[in-house]
Amino acid sequence: MFDNLSEKLDKALHVLKGHGQITEINVAETLKEIRRALLDADVNFKIAKDFTNRVKEKAMGQDVLTTLQPGQLMVKIVKDELTELMGGDAEGVNLSGNPSIILMSGLQGSGKTTFSGKLANFLLSKKSKKPLLVACDVYRPAAIDQLHIVGEQIGVEVYSDRENNDPVAIAKAGIAHAKSLGCNVVIIDTAGRLAVDEQMMAEIANIHKAIQPQETLFVVDAMTGQDAVNTAKAFNDVLNFDGVILTKLDGDTRGGAAISIKSVVNKPIKFIGTGEKMEAIDVFHPSRMADRILGMGDVVSLVERAQEQFDEEQARKIQKKIAKNKFGFDDFLSQIQQIKRMGNMKDLIGMIPGAGKALKGLDIDDDAFKHIEAIIHSMTPDERSTPTLLNASRKKRIASGSGTSIQEVNQLLKQFDQMSKMMKMMQGGGGKKMMQMMQNLR
């Protein structure tokens, strides 16, 4: 995500490193490269030009503090301006109604139906809401089927009426059904448009007028770049929607849509899609995204994801096992599952400051743990609970059963042993020593 833009901005800001002061000459050179980086990311020319003009105005109007290098000051200015350009503050979804009605709109293929499910799952699991999904795509039977599959997957009921061809009537009936079930959120999935044609735009405008939703969201594929921004403007002229959802931000997106869309339609990006799983949805935080674009990572989001998967009861059990030297491979496997639920590996690594740049070019397998899991699943229950049982013949059997080599089995055992010792040390007061060591390294 934004790899190309991040690299080019880093090179642009590198121009100022080593300079003792900010001058009009070195700032002009830096801004020229920043503008070029934004244009390569498919940001609108006028937006890119206005952005660099604001950065120049701020940079030339400030004295460099003795504690800062010119390069560091420019990074801060660019980060602040990027944050403002993408919306400033994070904005959540409006859930004021009873039930709260959310109307989903967007072009066909933007990921609207899938994201309707992700949003329902988000509201169910993180906001303790009881959502109902309503299928209002009367043109594609497959879209109705897809929404039912998604609903079953996340445990949310779906309302549809295959005999009715009037999306306005279906939407109204869906809201009535939600009230009868005691659902407090209704998410209405409308038909995707192949293009911005008058008939289809009139249809969604009629749905909007009939149901008066608390929230109208426009779903757009981030990989379509500047086209996404133009489409958003066309939809906004008809619907006056409340916010934007960017999907497929985990792909090879250039980032132009995320950077430009707020400036063009003056509506906030509310959520982003970061993968295929139903949990792959994040509230959009402009400041955190600016950090990631500038290669600073996003530690706050990483910690939040870890906390979501943290099971206090399980943690207490593991602590007791560590204290008694009974931490086994079953426990190790459960820790791996928690990490996997946090999201895809490439996305997680991108949240670690400097990691994205350090690992640039490496192909990070989203299922990086599959060999480890295969080895552990090839062990007997006794071997998983008591790793010391693993002799040469057992290792040979495990390697054969998991499709790996004896060397890989030995490597896992070595890593497991090192991790167990470290966890034991952390419990025995070693954690304070490690913290002191880390502070001394600063």
Side-chain angles (χ1 to χ4, degrees), residues 88-103:
D89 298 318
E91 293 200 29
V93 65
N94 179 6
L95 300 172
S96 59
N98 188 24
S100 303
I101 303 167
I102 301 172
L103 180 65

Side-chain angles (χ1 to χ4, degrees), residues 322-338:
I322 292 167
K324 297 177 182 177
N325 280 329
K326 289 185 177 180
F327 182 79
F329 277 107
D330 280 324
D331 305 306
F332 187 41
L333 203 58
S334 71
Q335 298 301 298
I336 289 173
Q337 297 307 320
Q338 283 191 355

Side-chain angles (χ1 to χ4, degrees), residues 162-174:
R162 295 176 191 269
E163 305 302 316
N164 196 337
N165 289 324
D166 181 0
V168 174
I170 295 170
K172 285 183 173 180

Side-chain angles (χ1 to χ4, degrees), residues 1 14 16 65 84 102 150 181 196 204 221 228 236 292 299 303 336 354 396 411 419:
M1 182 166 64
H14 192 74
L16 276 173
L65 300 172
E84 195 60 34
I102 301 172
V150 165
L181 293 176
V196 184
I204 195 164
D221 182 344
N236 193 49
R292 293 185 71 173
V299 175
V303 170
I336 289 173
K396 187 176 179 181
Q411 186 181 9
M419 189 189 74

Side-chain angles (χ1 to χ4, degrees), residues 8-78:
K8 289 184 177 180
L9 283 176
D10 183 58
K11 285 180 181 177
L13 294 164
H14 192 74
V15 172
L16 276 173
K17 289 179 181 175
H19 288 273
Q21 61 182 356
I22 284 179
T23 67
E24 196 155 345
I25 294 171
N26 58 35
V27 164
E29 191 180 348
T30 299
L31 293 178
K32 180 182 173 184
E33 292 302 317
I34 289 174
R35 185 160 56 245
R36 187 176 294 165
L38 292 172
L39 292 174
D40 285 346
D42 209 10
V43 174
N44 176 277
F45 175 78
K46 186 180 181 301
I47 292 171
K49 187 179 178 183
D50 290 346
F51 177 84
T52 50
N53 285 343
R54 287 197 304 274
V55 172
K56 180 182 179 181
E57 190 180 323
K58 286 195 174 180
M60 298 308 298
Q62 288 194 36
D63 294 324
V64 180
L65 300 172
T66 54
T67 54
L68 286 176
Q69 296 290 330
Q72 292 171 326
L73 179 62
M74 185 60 90
V75 168
K76 183 186 183 306
I77 293 170
V78 171

Side-chain angles (χ1 to χ4, degrees), residues 388-401:
T388 51
L389 292 174
L390 295 170
N391 55 27
S393 63
R394 288 175 183 258
K395 290 176 188 176
K396 187 176 179 181
R397 189 202 79 245
I398 291 166
S400 176

Side-chain angles (χ1 to χ4, degrees), residues 74-87:
M74 185 60 90
V75 168
K76 183 186 183 306
I77 293 170
V78 171
K79 190 238 174 186
D80 290 345
E81 285 302 314
L82 267 177
T83 301
E84 195 60 34
L85 185 62
M86 291 188 289

